[in-house]
Amino acid sequence: MKKDLKVIGKPTPKLDARIRASGQAVYGQDVVLPNMLHGAILRTKYPVADIVSIDVSKAMQLPGVVAVITGDDINANNINYKRDNPVLKRGRVNCIRDEIAAVAAVTREIAQEAVKLIEVKYNVKEGIFDPFEALKDDAPQINEFVKGDQHINIAHPFYYEHGDIEAQKRKSAVIIKTRFELPRMTHCCLAPCAITADYSNVDKRLTLYCVTQIPFLFQRDMARVLNMAPSDIRIIQTVIGGGFGSKLDMYPYEPICALLSMETGRPVQITFDREEEFIASPTRQKMTIDLTSGADSKGKFTFREARIIMDNGAYTSWGATTPFVMMQTFSSMYQLPACIFDAKAVYTNNVYAGSFRGYGNPQATFAVERNIDLLAEKLGMDKFEIRLKNANYKDELTGQEMKFISCGHKEALEIVSDKSGYSPCHSREGGNLSNRYKRGIGFASMLHVGGGAKIYPSDGCGTNLKMDDFGKLTIITGSSEIGQGSETVLAMMASEELGIDLKNIKVINTDTDIKPWDVGVHASRTTFVAGNSLLGALKLLKEKLSNKAAQLLKTEIDDLVYEDGLIESTTSGESFKIDKVVREIHFKPPNELCAVYYYYEPGSEFQDKYYKGNVSDTYAFAAQAIEVEVDTYTGNIKVLDIHVAQDVGKVINPLGLAGQIEGGVVMGMGYALLEELYSEKGYILNPNFHDYKIPTSVDIPNIHFYPVETNDPYGPYGAKGVGEAPLIPTAPAIANAIVDAIGIRIVDLPITPEKVLKALKNDA
Amino acid sequence: MSQSIKINFTINGKRTELTIPPYMLLIDLIREELGLKGTKPGCLEGECGACTVLVNGEAVNSCLYLAINVDGKEVITVEGLPVTPEGEIDPVQEALIQHGAVQCGFCTPGMVMSIKSFVAQCNKDNIIPSPDEIKKAIEGNLCRCTGYVKIVEAVESLF
Ligand code: FES
Ligand code: FES
């Protein structure tokens, strides 16, 4: 029987917020274990060099130092996606992040002091910092472990196509070709990286208190690196102070910490300071996108041809696979008859890129959406009309064979156009406030996976449930909480189904020794996949409860409702407390515990070798309309209003949802206007919050959010993935708004006041 | 070795006497000496506000503040905010929670302390701050998760 939803859709503060706001949550840097040592890492002084010798004798002699290790002392396999990154480098260094030696000491200060006493002799070499240089015929091989198949320095090539591109070119009334340059941006999680490793030399097991967002893959990878059995490694996730994709890869500091613990037989903790965080944690890929797009005389898009060179840096993380996501946007955002996509992740001696919220999509969307404005302008068409005309629709099967089983793209576009007060005559002239200040409105859409993403053999999630004799429910889920609010969403679903108060629900999700498999936090998949897994488990639990309750209430199972902690018969009006039913099951036949297990694997497909297939069960769509004001004297850009309409399937927790939207949009503003990790000859020039600015409270515009509910048939209650989407269209919408205001050419990010002024001067 | 110095201060209402090296930072005194881990090290460079505590009621970045300077003063960290026997917490914390302003929460303790000092100042001056004034007041506290909107709304609700 279908009943009104009581919990789903109601604003619900996060369950873990009290502990966090009270300072009682234990983050990586708060862990204290008995007898714990502190580790520190010596990184290279030069981006590219041969290591001639390493002398650790002075460091060893410093009182308080317990162990010093170098690449020669350890037996560890390479890490990362291509297994091309040695944990501690031997013989040569390839980028400024490179780890050469590590120290364990009784205090962090002593460990850091000891690191300075390690003497390394380098033979400094020339590096290659431009991927186009690295692609030259005579370029030397940058990473000695991977010899690319097309070129020695291509870490990962991708090629995709659909449709008849030549025929579509002939059909095109306009063709626009643009080269876009996208910068290195970094996550700036407020909590710097931290890990505590505890190896027992008695039972030969390793416990890691760490901040990974993919605990089970991390466990497997760590085992391979250390030549251990995965089951002998226990991953306990501490409270995580921001993830945003940065914790999707393993970094050398993590196995280094484990090795120090194995070496000393004591727990060891490594924490980064902010400078190390900037230098040694990943970035969004810097890339050059050459995009050619066409449209016919009526404004229907004809084709896109994208050729992309990504600066991979010296090693290959999961981030090199962002073309998986980028090609979806190039091939399928807006209806598109033909597409060619060619991307290459190219080794350089720069710091290496990783995965970052949006996973290549912010870059791809920037290029696609900027070109759409240029196409519209050349056609003399309205920029909103052209988008609406080409918008994705329900039941569309795209050239890449993705199936849009539910789709709110058109609706999202219409909402933001309407709410922003946009009209076709709102143009540069319309926004001409004065000679000095000019206003403009820009649009951008986005397409992203919304029902998981089948990129690993399993995209599933397991759930164990137990209800104790007192009616309290424990949800043991494979999924992880990284601040995004997944615990609360899961507890809300259980509260809805069982009619019990949120106070009576606990979520256990941090320990690989306890929780069942889940592939991890990525692809905005947790609400969808972990939610469906939980609903499957709840169904089993309710079967148990209902069988007993029907017996006790002498009624049919279909006649029962779960409400206010009671299981009630709708015919007789009689009820039993849910905990009473649990005890009846436990203490009387069938003498069972109220515990169940369920595993959910989404129905999505692995793409074939041509990258075709329905990689996600469903997809998320969004549109943003942004109004900006440009000060033409200073080049300053003020973002006034951001209108966000996003197809979320169904709103589960409006409070958490709005938080994801606002946080994402503001991160997108940073990408658009402020953020770039500057690098020169392999050195990072701005590794601190003073020189690398992220948005602060005073930068915040009015953010208006309009959820679009398409009630996805596969989503839990109809919901689909949310978390990455909001930042994806923000930068192109801001860029389009600035162009609308002052008519300059924008092909790169961030759009700083200096660039605006320069462009204005060049135009004049 | 540099000489150590004896200081007397109140921490979260408790009178305390400690002998510390003169270069010790307040954040280290709080986190390492006293084991109060609620104060967060976000940057240790005075740029993020995660380490904010109250010294004589005023919000300071404890990572820039020499511990010896708390001699004779009153320090309050997030652990020092009162919790009633019923588990009720400070109105500032409660407002942040109810408005959905806590995501990863790493910025939150520092944010709470900045807001506490701001609210106290507004109450003393008998003013109801505008959203822009609230934004200005928390400008020194970085948050990467929330986009600040809900934080500002939470502060508005306190007046
Ligand atoms: S840790 Fe003190 S301001 Fe960042
Ligand atoms: S809640 Fe994560 S930094 Fe503010």
Side-chain angles (χ1 to χ4, degrees):
Chain A
M1 141 179 1
K2 193 158 166 55
K3 54 171 192 162
D4 290 341
L5 296 174
K6 291 214 156 69
V7 185
I8 300 297
K10 305 284 179 305
T12 307
K14 281 181 67 190
L15 299 187
D16 49 9
R18 283 170 71 80
I19 264 315
R20 294 180 191 226
S22 305
Q24 292 173 9
V26 179
Y27 295 82
Q29 29 281 104
D30 304 334
V31 172
V32 180
L33 295 181
N35 213 17
M36 184 172 86
L37 299 170
H38 295 263
I41 294 170
L42 173 71
R43 294 178 193 278
T44 178
K45 207 167 153 191
Y46 307 99
V48 189
D50 287 337
I51 302 173
V52 181
S53 64
I54 308 173
D55 181 356
V56 302
S57 55
K58 289 202 183 112
M60 275 308 285
Q61 281 157 19
L62 187 72
V65 170
V66 181
V68 183
I69 55 173
T70 68
D72 286 335
D73 307 321
I74 61 170
N75 173 19
N77 297 308
N78 289 356
I79 65 167
N80 285 149
Y81 181 70
K82 288 270 176 183
R83 317 234 195 285
D84 59 357
N85 190 0
V87 170
L88 286 167
K89 278 64 180 173
R90 299 171 63 190
R92 76 180 268 175
V93 287
N94 259 332
C95 79
I96 198 68
R97 242 180 231 168
D98 276 2
E99 301 78 3
I100 294 179
V103 176
V106 292
T107 69
R108 191 162 185 261
E109 290 66 34
I110 295 174
Q112 284 167 339
E113 196 53 44
V115 155
K116 290 189 202 134
L117 295 174
I118 299 173
E119 289 168 359
V120 183
K121 284 214 180 77
Y122 300 92
N123 184 5
V124 179
K125 292 267 178 70
E126 284 290 310
I128 299 181
F129 306 104
D130 175 352
F132 291 94
E133 291 288 318
L135 284 176
K136 289 197 172 146
D137 287 344
D138 57 349
Q141 185 171 343
I142 291 173
N143 187 302
E144 61 181 302
F145 301 101
V146 174
K147 195 165 182 186
D149 44 8
Q150 294 181 3
H151 180 285
I152 44 170
N153 287 330
I154 295 181
H156 206 324
F158 288 84
Y159 183 82
Y160 164 84
E161 64 176 13
H162 79 252
D164 183 343
I165 204 120
E166 290 311 318
Q168 291 298 328
K169 279 186 180 169
R170 285 193 296 276
K171 262 195 185 171
S172 303
V174 290
I175 291 179
I176 295 281
K177 182 169 184 190
T178 320
R179 170 166 284 196
F180 296 98
E181 301 281 356
L182 285 313
R184 249 179 227 104
M185 172 195 195
T186 186
H187 304 71
C188 297
C189 300
L190 248 271
C193 289
I195 185 169
T196 308
D198 188 5
Y199 180 74
S200 162
N201 48 17
V202 175
D203 69 8
K204 308 284 179 215
R205 290 202 180 135
L206 174 67
T207 304
L208 296 170
Y209 301 83
C210 62
V211 290
T212 178
Q213 59 187 88
I214 44 154
F216 288 96
L217 296 181
F218 191 89
Q219 181 191 43
R220 282 167 164 72
D221 283 352
M222 187 63 81
R224 199 185 41 74
V225 174
L226 301 177
N227 302 305
M228 287 179 71
S231 312
D232 286 339
I233 300 177
R234 180 180 186 185
I235 308 294
I236 297 179
Q237 293 157 287
T238 64
V239 175
I240 297 175
F244 316 117
S246 63
K247 288 145 176 94
L248 202 75
D249 274 288
M250 178 180 289
Y251 300 96
Y253 81 94
E254 292 161 316
I256 286 174
C257 195
L259 287 161
L260 286 171
S261 179
M262 292 163 105
E263 175 77 17
T264 58
R266 290 167 67 172
V268 178
Q269 181 169 86
I270 293 182
T271 58
F272 283 5
D273 60 22
R274 186 50 63 180
E275 183 172 322
E276 195 167 16
E277 181 77 11
F278 269 105
I279 291 173
S281 55
T283 72
R284 196 183 284 296
Q285 284 79 4
K286 181 175 162 62
M287 62 178 74
T288 304
I289 302 178
D290 284 311
L291 176 63
T292 314
S293 335
D296 68 16
S297 57
K298 299 204 175 64
K300 282 294 278 182
F301 298 153
T302 46
F303 76 96
R304 285 181 201 133
E305 185 176 341
R307 309 234 172 232
I308 302 175
I309 298 297
M310 306 193 289
D311 186 342
N312 197 47
Y315 307 103
T316 311
S317 76
W318 274 105
T321 68
T322 48
F324 277 123
V325 176
M326 287 202 280
M327 71 175 74
Q328 292 165 13
T329 291
F330 284 110
S331 76
S332 305
M333 180 168 72
Y334 301 100
Q335 304 158 45
L336 194 73
C339 176
I340 285 181
F341 173 91
D342 182 317
K344 298 178 172 74
V346 180
Y347 283 117
T348 65
N349 293 114
N350 291 314
V351 292
Y352 47 103
S355 63
F356 195 156
R357 192 180 197 175
Y359 215 73
N361 208 345
Q363 295 97 312
T365 301
F366 184 77
V368 170
E369 288 288 352
R370 277 298 298 126
N371 259 15
I372 290 175
D373 265 24
L374 296 171
L375 286 169
E377 192 183 322
K378 212 162 170 189
L379 279 169
M381 257 186 98
D382 176 56
K383 57 197 185 189
F384 168 66
E385 284 305 322
I386 197 170
R387 287 180 166 86
L388 200 63
K389 182 174 258 186
N390 291 284
N392 295 114
Y393 56 92
K394 182 173 177 318
D395 293 329
E396 181 181 347
L397 176 66
T398 78
Q400 209 184 338
E401 295 176 15
M402 305 187 318
K403 293 178 201 135
F404 296 158
I405 184 139
S406 63
C407 173
H409 189 192
K410 270 199 174 120
E411 207 176 332
L413 275 166
E414 277 162 347
I415 291 171
V416 296
S417 165
D418 185 42
K419 300 287 183 181
S420 65
Y422 172 79
S423 70
C425 62
H426 178 112
S427 62
R428 234 158 280 155
E429 285 69 44
N432 219 343
L433 290 185
S434 65
N435 264 342
R436 178 167 178 179
Y437 297 100
K438 315 272 183 193
R439 287 188 179 184
I441 293 185
F443 291 98
S445 301
M446 89 89 225
L447 156 70
H448 203 70
V449 291
K454 188 82 109 199
I455 51 160
Y456 193 79
S458 162
D459 191 33
C461 175
T463 305
N464 289 319
L465 292 180
K466 64 174 183 141
M467 187 170 260
D468 69 12
D469 293 337
F470 316 101
K472 311 258 178 192
L473 181 75
T474 303
I475 301 171
I476 304 169
T477 172
S479 64
S480 303
E481 168 75 38
I482 63 168
Q484 83 280 41
S486 66
E487 282 178 15
T488 308
V489 159
L490 294 178
M492 286 171 74
M493 290 179 187
S495 168
E496 181 73 55
E497 293 304 315
L498 294 171
I500 59 173
D501 200 279
L502 281 170
K503 279 204 297 284
N504 295 331
I505 301 173
K506 270 188 224 166
V507 182
I508 304 291
N509 54 1
T510 56
D511 186 343
T512 54
D513 268 9
I514 295 169
K515 66 178 184 175
W517 162 270
D518 174 79
V519 79
V521 180
H522 74 101
S524 305
R525 64 185 279 287
T526 301
T527 294
F528 188 95
V529 181
N532 275 331
S533 174
L534 171 67
L535 289 181
L538 285 166
K539 197 163 159 238
L540 298 178
L541 190 77
K542 279 174 88 168
E543 268 168 28
K544 277 197 166 186
L545 289 163
S546 294
N547 277 337
K548 181 54 101 180
Q551 205 184 344
L552 293 169
L553 292 163
K554 301 190 180 53
T555 184
E556 299 297 316
I557 285 175
D558 288 347
D559 189 36
L560 299 171
V561 291
Y562 288 68
E563 238 169 58
D564 302 327
L566 303 172
I567 305 178
E568 193 181 314
S569 155
T570 45
T571 36
S572 69
E574 279 178 55
S575 63
F576 271 91
K577 280 190 169 168
I578 200 163
D579 53 313
K580 167 82 177 156
V581 179
V582 175
R583 290 193 297 271
E584 290 283 327
I585 297 172
H586 185 181
F587 298 121
K588 294 188 188 144
N591 294 104
E592 276 182 9
L593 293 177
C594 226
V596 296
Y597 159 74
Y598 185 79
Y599 181 72
Y600 170 77
E601 180 73 37
S604 49
E605 310 160 350
F606 251 136
Q607 289 171 329
D608 60 20
K609 65 175 188 229
Y610 304 108
Y611 298 111
K612 290 191 178 173
N614 196 35
V615 69
S616 182
D617 259 354
T618 191
Y619 299 84
F621 303 84
Q624 294 186 10
I626 299 183
E627 184 165 21
V628 303
E629 182 176 292
V630 184
D631 180 340
T632 57
Y633 290 6
T634 63
N636 276 332
I637 291 148
K638 192 165 170 201
V639 180
L640 303 171
D641 284 280
I642 299 188
H643 299 270
V644 183
Q646 186 169 319
D647 173 4
V648 298
K650 167 88 185 165
V651 178
I652 304 281
N653 182 4
L655 206 55
L657 173 60
Q660 286 296 304
I661 300 292
E662 290 153 4
V665 162
V666 170
M667 199 176 246
M669 278 177 60
Y671 188 45
L673 300 173
L674 297 171
E675 298 182 37
E676 177 165 9
L677 196 63
Y678 293 105
S679 162
E680 199 179 289
K681 289 204 175 311
Y683 293 95
I684 298 297
L685 303 181
N686 55 342
N688 55 66
F689 282 132
H690 188 72
D691 299 311
Y692 183 106
K693 294 271 188 239
I694 65 171
T696 71
S697 51
V698 296
D699 299 320
I700 303 315
N702 300 313
I703 300 173
H704 316 270
F705 172 48
Y706 320 97
V708 177
E709 295 196 318
T710 50
N711 293 305
D712 190 81
Y714 295 142
Y717 303 96
K720 46 173 88 170
V722 166
E724 292 168 281
L727 85 76
I728 294 167
T730 305
I734 289 177
N736 286 341
I738 296 169
V739 175
D740 185 47
I742 54 173
I744 58 171
R745 186 178 152 78
I746 297 179
V747 291
D748 61 355
L749 295 175
I751 311 162
T752 58
E754 299 76 54
K755 284 189 198 165
V756 171
L757 283 183
K758 204 168 147 213
L760 280 170
K761 216 159 109 209
N762 289 348
D763 279 5
Chain B
M1 271 324 253
S2 44
Q3 291 165 290
S4 287
I5 293 175
K6 195 193 279 179
I7 55 169
N8 273 291
F9 63 107
T10 328
I11 175 94
N12 298 334
K14 216 175 102 204
R15 293 197 61 84
T16 306
E17 188 180 293
L18 275 180
T19 305
I20 57 165
Y23 52 80
M24 180 179 265
L25 294 166
L26 181 54
I27 190 167
D28 292 328
L29 174 77
I30 292 168
R31 284 183 58 88
E32 310 310 328
E33 291 294 307
L34 303 171
L36 298 169
K37 303 284 191 185
T39 301
K40 299 301 178 199
C43 69
L44 303 179
E45 296 170 335
E47 299 281 352
C48 78
C51 65
T52 307
V53 299
L54 301 181
V55 176
N56 282 356
E58 197 188 318
V60 305
N61 287 333
S62 63
C63 72
L64 291 185
Y65 199 98
L66 281 178
I68 47 170
N69 290 333
V70 300
D71 188 35
K73 296 183 183 152
E74 188 191 15
V75 181
I76 299 179
T77 69
V78 70
E79 291 90 346
L81 300 180
V83 183
T84 68
E86 294 74 40
E88 275 172 42
I89 52 179
D90 190 272
V92 170
Q93 291 166 313
E94 196 57 47
L96 288 170
I97 293 163
Q98 292 305 326
H99 285 81
V102 182
Q103 286 188 28
C104 84
F106 199 77
C107 71
T108 312
M111 200 64 89
V112 166
M113 301 319 274
S114 288
I115 297 168
K116 281 227 56 102
S117 115
F118 174 67
V119 170
Q121 192 60 43
C122 290
N123 287 341
K124 202 169 126 217
D125 300 344
N126 207 6
I127 57 164
I128 295 178
S130 68
D132 279 345
E133 284 165 331
I134 295 171
K135 288 181 184 174
K136 195 81 208 145
I138 57 166
E139 191 185 0
N141 290 79
L142 295 180
C143 173
R144 190 58 152 171
C145 300
T146 64
Y148 307 99
V149 178
K150 304 245 167 296
I151 300 175
V152 175
E153 284 170 10
V155 180
E156 276 185 272
S157 78
L158 292 164
F159 292 91

